[in-house]
C-alpha cells in the first residue's frame, strides 16, 4: 500500500492525528481516543500503519501473557510527498478530500459528545471566507499560513496544552478567468 492509499483513509488519519506531538500510545489507548470506531477496526488500521512504516513500535512488554506494544508516529512517513501529490488523479483528490471531511465531521462530533464541550470557551472556529486573490496573493497567503502553523507542529503534549485540529481547505470556487483575455 503506497503512502497515499495508507493516509487517505479517515480512521488512519485519526490515528495519525492522535499520535502527533511525540506521543506513544497503545492500540487500547487509541481505541479510547477514537471511541466511535470499533476496536477491531482501530486494531486493523494500526496494523496497516505499522506495516506501512507510519507507526513504529516504541516499546513492547508482556501484560497478562500478551504482548502490549506502544507505538509512535514516524513523522518522516506520516505525510504525502510532492511527487505523489503531483501524480494524483482528480478521483484521488476527490477521495482524499472526502477522507479529510469525514475526519473533520467525526472529530467534531466526538468533541461535542464529550459532555464537557464548550465551543465558545474553547474558541472553536469553522468559518469560511470567499476571497479574491491573484496568484501572488494566494502564494503569499499560503506562505503566511505555513509560517503561522509549522512552528507549532513539533509541540508535544503537556498539562497546559490541548490538541486542536487545524484544517485549512483551499480551492477555487470559480474557473479562473481566461488567461488570453488578460493580455
Amino acid at each position: 500500500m503506497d503512502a497515499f492509499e495508507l493516509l487517505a483513509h479517515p480512521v488512519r488519519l485519526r490515528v495519525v492525528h492522535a499520535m502527533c506531538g511525540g506521543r506513544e500510545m497503545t492500540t487500547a489507548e487509541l481505541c479510547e481516543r477514537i471511541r466511535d470506531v470499533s476496536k477491531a477496526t482501530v486494531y486493523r488500521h494500526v496494523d496497516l500503519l505499522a506495516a506501512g512504516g507510519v507507526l513504529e513500535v516504541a516499546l513492547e512488554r508482556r501484560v497478562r501473557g500478551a504482548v502490549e506494544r506502544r507505538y509512535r508516529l514516524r513523522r518522516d512517513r506520516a505525510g504525502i510527498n510532492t511527487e505523489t501529490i503531483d501524480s494524483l488523479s482528480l478521483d484521488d483528490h476527490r477521495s482524499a478530500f472526502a477522507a479529510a471531511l469525514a475526519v473533520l465531521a467525526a472529530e467534531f462530533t466526538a468533541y461535542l459528545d464529550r459532555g464537557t464541550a464548550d465551543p465558545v470557551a474553547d474558541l472553536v472556529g469553522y468559518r469560511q471566507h470567499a476571497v479574491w486573490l491573484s496568484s501572488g496573493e494566494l502564494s503569499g497567503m499560503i506562505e503566511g499560513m505555513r509560517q503561522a502553523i509549522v512552528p507549532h507542529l513539533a509541540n508535544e503534549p503537556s498539562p497546559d496544552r490541548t490538541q486542536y485540529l487545524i484544517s485549512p481547505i483551499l480551492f477555487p470556487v470559480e474557473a479562473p478567468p481566461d488567461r488570453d483575455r488578460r493580455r
Side-chain angles (χ1 to χ4, degrees), residues 12 24 28 38 47 49 55 75 85 101 110 114 128-129 145:
R12 292 192 288 269
E24 293 181 2
S38 75
D47 286 344
L49 288 166
L55 296 180
R75 288 186 58 138
I85 291 170
L101 290 179
R114 278 201 308 247
Q128 295 180 339
H129 306 281
M145 290 171 29

Side-chain angles (χ1 to χ4, degrees), residues 145-161:
M145 290 171 29
R146 282 186 184 135
Q147 288 178 9
I149 295 169
V150 169
H152 303 285
L153 294 177
N155 288 356
E156 294 186 3
S158 69
D160 64 327
R161 285 188 174 137

Side-chain angles (χ1 to χ4, degrees), residues 1-8 12 52 77 80 84 87-88:
M1 189 176 296
D2 67 20
F4 174 75
E5 288 177 299
L6 198 55
L7 296 172
R12 292 192 288 269
R77 301 290 305 265
I80 300 170
T84 299
S87 72
L88 297 179

Side-chain angles (χ1 to χ4, degrees), residues 46-181:
V46 166
D47 286 344
L48 286 170
L49 288 166
V54 174
L55 296 180
E56 65 184 0
V57 176
L59 176 73
E60 284 186 340
R61 67 182 186 129
R62 283 233 173 264
V63 177
R64 294 183 289 271
V67 176
E68 177 187 75
R69 290 180 181 88
R70 295 191 73 72
Y71 293 95
R72 71 176 152 239
L73 187 64
R74 287 193 49 197
R75 288 186 58 138
D76 63 319
R77 301 290 305 265
I80 300 170
N81 65 33
T82 305
E83 182 179 305
T84 299
I85 291 170
D86 290 345
S87 72
L88 297 179
S89 70
L90 294 180
D91 281 339
D92 291 336
H93 283 283
R94 193 179 331 273
S95 294
F97 188 75
L101 290 179
V103 168
L104 281 173
E107 291 289 2
F108 192 69
T109 298
Y111 160 72
L112 293 175
D113 289 347
R114 278 201 308 247
T116 58
D118 185 343
V120 174
D122 293 335
L123 301 177
V124 170
Y126 41 85
R127 294 162 186 85
Q128 295 180 339
H129 306 281
V131 296
W132 293 88
L133 302 167
S134 68
S135 177
E137 291 166 333
L138 175 61
S139 295
M141 185 182 74
I142 291 170
E143 184 56 31
M145 290 171 29
R146 282 186 184 135
Q147 288 178 9
I149 295 169
V150 169
H152 303 285
L153 294 177
N155 288 356
E156 294 186 3
S158 69
D160 64 327
R161 285 188 174 137
T162 300
Q163 188 181 40
Y164 285 82
L165 184 59
I166 301 171
S167 298
I169 297 172
L170 177 70
F171 58 91
V173 293
E174 292 184 11
D178 184 358
R179 285 180 169 75
D180 292 334
R181 290 191 315 183

